[in-house]
Amino acid sequence: MKLEIFAADEWAPAVGARLVRFVSLRNGLRVCLATGSTPEPVYAEFTASGGSLEGTEVFLLDEFLLPVGDLGRCDEMLDRALLQRLPTPPDALYTFDVTAASLQEECERFEDVIADGGLDLAVVGLGGNGHIGMNEPGSRSDSRTRVVELDPSTQQNAARYGATARPTWGITLGMGTLLAAEEIWLLVSGRHKAEILERAVSGPIGPEVPASYLRQHGNTIVYADEPAAALLS
Ligand code: F6R
């Protein structure tokens, strides 16, 4: 696991610039993107500096089981923070159909599309409880895309994102699905993430802090700002 730490005001511009460069280097890139508060300023930098997702296939990392169009949904957040600010849409956008008759089959569909070409990059955030995507504490490192019951803290996050109801379930790419990506970027900002980042980076690797599994991946970069990195030695 590689750590890159930036001053708080330099973090989003630096990570945004790296994302611009990463996606410009290869046509046909397949990228999984997180939503939530953390990546928002990074996506803002990406679009402000002319970043393009033309030629890129985008996979949403996770989704709340909330009605289509609810502002707290991850697809809505990705749209607001990134997609609607781009002059050209990505070549493909894969989101979860939470209205599917069988959510199990919807998860399998997602797994199949990802398996058919893999993921070049997964951009993820860090939950205050150590989750990655919606892989809550207790998740296995070989878990696949599935429906999950949400931790109360994750349910509360949805309200912070503008949800009109409290979701108790979600769909997430599994830890195993993510660990198969060629490269993983863990974005972490803010002093409120310092304790959990320290546990993810230095604590035991295991289901209590699913983010710790990222240390088993040979090509993970943690992009943290100084407040989030405050407890790292
Ligand atoms: C969102 C997601 C979540 C968030 C995490 C941190 O797509 O996958 O795991 O990355 O809960 O959320 P914020 O960034 O709002 O602190």
Side-chain angles (χ1 to χ4, degrees), residues 34-38 61-62 74 125-127 131-133 157 160-161 193:
T35 54
S37 312
T38 309
L61 171 60
D62 48 11
C74 299
L126 176 62
H131 73 204
I132 293 291
N157 285 348
R160 184 157 59 81
Y161 303 148
K193 296 282 176 75

Side-chain angles (χ1 to χ4, degrees), residues 7 20 60 122 160 176 221:
V20 170
L60 192 61
R160 184 157 59 81
I221 306 175

Side-chain angles (χ1 to χ4, degrees), residues 153-204:
S153 62
T154 310
Q155 298 176 21
Q156 276 165 18
N157 285 348
R160 184 157 59 81
Y161 303 148
T164 55
R166 187 176 170 125
T168 43
W169 297 87
I171 297 187
T172 185
L173 261 68
M175 283 310 307
T177 319
L178 288 165
L179 290 170
E182 217 169 273
E183 187 161 335
I184 301 175
W185 292 3
L186 175 62
L187 312 188
V188 199
S189 61
R191 179 63 183 80
H192 63 299
K193 296 282 176 75
E195 280 80 10
I196 194 64
L197 180 60
E198 195 278 331
R199 287 179 69 196
V201 168
S202 312

Side-chain angles (χ1 to χ4, degrees), residues 1 5 17 21-22 28 30 36 39 60 70 95 107 115 121 124 129 144-145 149 154 158 160 179 191 194 199 232:
M1 183 182 256
I5 300 168
R21 199 173 329 124
F22 193 101
R30 292 160 64 90
L60 192 61
D70 191 291
T95 58
C107 293
L121 174 67
V124 300
N129 63 355
R144 310 308 302 192
T145 302
E149 188 164 12
T154 310
R160 184 157 59 81
L179 290 170
R191 179 63 183 80
R199 287 179 69 196
L232 303 183

